Amino acid sequence: MLSSQQALQLCQIALQLAQQNQQAIAVAVVDSHGELMAFTRHDGVGLPSIHLAQNKAYTAARERQPSGNLGQWARDTGKDMGYWNDARVTGFKGGVPIFVDEQCVGAIGVSGLSEEEDEALASQAIDVQRLQ
C-alpha cells in the first residue's frame, strides 16, 4: 500500500529532479485504483500538463504498465484510444506504475516535458524514493 506521505514525497522528489534541470512539470501520484493521492506543479507549467499528469498516473495504475505502452499498442493495432471506453485513459508516455513485491501499489504521472523525458523523470523519482 502506498501511504499519503510516500505519495507526497514522490511528488517532491519529481519536482526537485526537474528543478535541477530548470524544467517545469506537473506531477501526480495515484493509488492502485488510479485515484489521486497527491498532485503539485511548478509555477509556469503548461495548463494541459495538469490533467495529463493525472491521467498518465491513472492509466499506469489501472493498466499496471507504463501509460505509453497503451499508445504504442494503439498505433501497432490501428485501434483508437477510445477502445478502453474511458476518457481518462491516455497513451502518452509519462505514467509509470509503482510496484512493491510485484504488486502494483500506485503510479506516478509526469507531464510538461517531452514524453520520453516525462517517463524517465517519473521512473527516476521512483528509484530515488526507493534509495531513501
Side-chain angles (χ1 to χ4, degrees):
M1 183 172 153
L2 190 64
S3 72
S4 59
Q5 182 178 1
Q6 290 170 315
L8 289 169
Q9 183 184 36
L10 264 173
C11 282
Q12 288 304 314
I13 290 168
L15 285 179
Q16 289 169 358
L17 290 169
Q19 195 165 353
Q20 289 172 1
N21 295 318
Q22 299 177 339
Q23 298 168 316
I25 62 163
V27 58
V29 177
V30 300
D31 65 15
S32 62
H33 302 288
E35 298 302 324
L36 188 64
M37 294 184 71
F39 172 82
T40 192
R41 62 186 171 116
H42 284 117
D43 294 338
V45 73
L47 293 178
S49 295
I50 294 169
H51 293 290
L52 280 171
Q54 293 176 43
N55 288 345
K56 289 175 181 186
Y58 172 87
T59 301
R62 289 281 183 134
E63 295 298 321
R64 310 296 199 247
Q65 60 182 309
S67 56
N69 288 4
L70 277 70
Q72 188 61 54
W73 178 85
R75 286 187 296 278
D76 291 346
T77 63
K79 298 242 193 286
D80 184 84
M81 290 304 296
Y83 173 85
W84 280 270
N85 200 28
D86 185 339
R88 293 193 60 196
V89 170
T90 183
F92 289 114
K93 292 181 181 179
V96 178
I98 302 164
F99 288 95
V100 175
D101 298 326
E102 298 182 26
Q103 180 179 1
C104 182
V105 296
I108 182 172
V110 173
S111 188
L113 311 172
S114 72
E115 287 185 63
E116 289 73 21
E117 290 172 311
D118 287 344
E119 186 172 277
L121 197 136
S123 294
Q124 187 179 5
I126 293 168
D127 292 342
V128 167
Q129 186 180 48
R130 285 192 177 130
L131 294 174
Q132 294 180 347

